[in-house]
Amino acid sequence: MTASETLAAVRAEAFRLLARGVADRRSAFHTPTLATIGPDGAPQLRTLVLRGFDAASRTLRLHTDRRSAKWAALAAEPRAALQVYDAGAQIQLRLSGRARLHAEDDTADAAWAASRAGSRSCYAVEPGPGMPVPAPPPAPPGDTGGRAHFGVIHLAFDRMEWLHLRRSGHRRAVFAWGPEGLHETWLVP
Ligand SMILES: Cc1cc2nc3c(=O)[nH]c(=O)nc-3n(C[C@H](O)[C@H](O)[C@H](O)COP(=O)(O)O)c2cc1C
């Protein structure tokens, strides 16, 4: 096994891909799938843009509308999971942990201030996302009122599973951060 196939190297590569997903719109890691648990206990999945990643705290930043179903779901049940499949690299990453919601605080203020006008205007839509309407509504002309609907999801993950499909042999590994530190092991793919 070469140095690039150590668990430490896999972990570093996963973190590098997450950081790249924030910066590179063409990266598959830019648009992961977020899973939450609905009020009826059923899983719900949807695509979100990965807005930030802090490797030290293993925290991902996502933005959403506070009127959305996912916001209510996470407020009631913060356990969440996120997955990405990068078809080019043939890497699947599965993360799970807990979400913290930021609505009217410095975290949300900073994220709103850094958002582009086009992104902000999404939050001005009326009525809120998911409401039934007789016809598709026009795009909001600006971001008036949008801040009141804008929220930040911080997903801190404590489990990460890596799967790399390779002709020479698939590689699967799991990393779990607990009170006693990091536990990491290879798994049968
Ligand atoms: C490429 C792509 C990027 C998206 N990015 C976001 C996002 O950053 N935040 C968000 O709330 N919804 C985003 N959406 C829409 C969600 O997938 C979803 O349809 C919407 O948020 C409603 O989800 P919910 O009813 O489960 O709350 C995106 C959809 C696509 C296809």
Side-chain angles (χ1 to χ4, degrees):
M1 193 168 284
T2 65
S4 67
E5 289 179 309
T6 64
L7 286 164
V10 166
R11 185 159 30 93
E13 176 68 358
F15 278 33
R16 193 187 67 76
L17 289 168
L18 288 169
R20 186 161 147 219
V22 176
D24 181 358
R25 294 163 62 95
R26 289 161 306 164
S27 159
F29 286 76
H30 190 61
T31 45
T33 303
L34 174 73
T36 55
I37 303 165
D40 57 356
Q44 293 287 343
L45 303 169
R46 78 289 280 162
T47 309
L48 268 76
V49 172
L50 180 58
R51 303 284 179 178
F53 172 53
D54 179 55
S57 61
R58 300 187 306 280
T59 301
L60 306 171
R61 179 165 53 87
L62 309 157
H63 295 173
T64 198
D65 193 303
R66 282 143 58 182
R67 299 167 294 176
S68 68
K70 73 181 86 52
W71 187 267
L74 288 168
E77 169 52 271
R79 285 181 301 164
L82 183 138
Q83 86 96 36
V84 182
Y85 174 56
D86 184 328
Q90 300 216 310
I91 291 168
Q92 173 182 264
L93 201 62
R94 301 163 73 187
L95 307 173
S96 55
R98 298 181 88 82
R100 282 192 317 275
L101 302 181
H102 298 271
E104 297 294 340
D105 62 8
D106 291 350
T107 298
D109 284 344
W112 178 259
S115 293
R116 286 192 294 203
S119 303
R120 287 183 180 191
S121 66
C122 296
Y123 298 93
V125 71
E126 293 289 355
M131 298 301 288
V133 281
D143 65 16
T144 308
R147 176 65 186 88
H149 305 139
F150 174 77
V152 173
I153 301 168
H154 272 174
L155 177 61
F157 62 88
D158 55 11
R159 190 178 193 283
M160 176 172 86
E161 197 182 301
W162 163 275
L163 176 65
H164 187 188
L165 305 177
R166 311 178 332 159
R167 245 182 244 160
S168 55
H170 303 331
R171 293 277 188 264
R172 183 176 174 191
V174 66
F175 305 84
W177 290 265
E180 273 124 55
L182 170 63
H183 175 73
E184 54 186 12
T185 181
W186 297 105
L187 300 172
V188 176

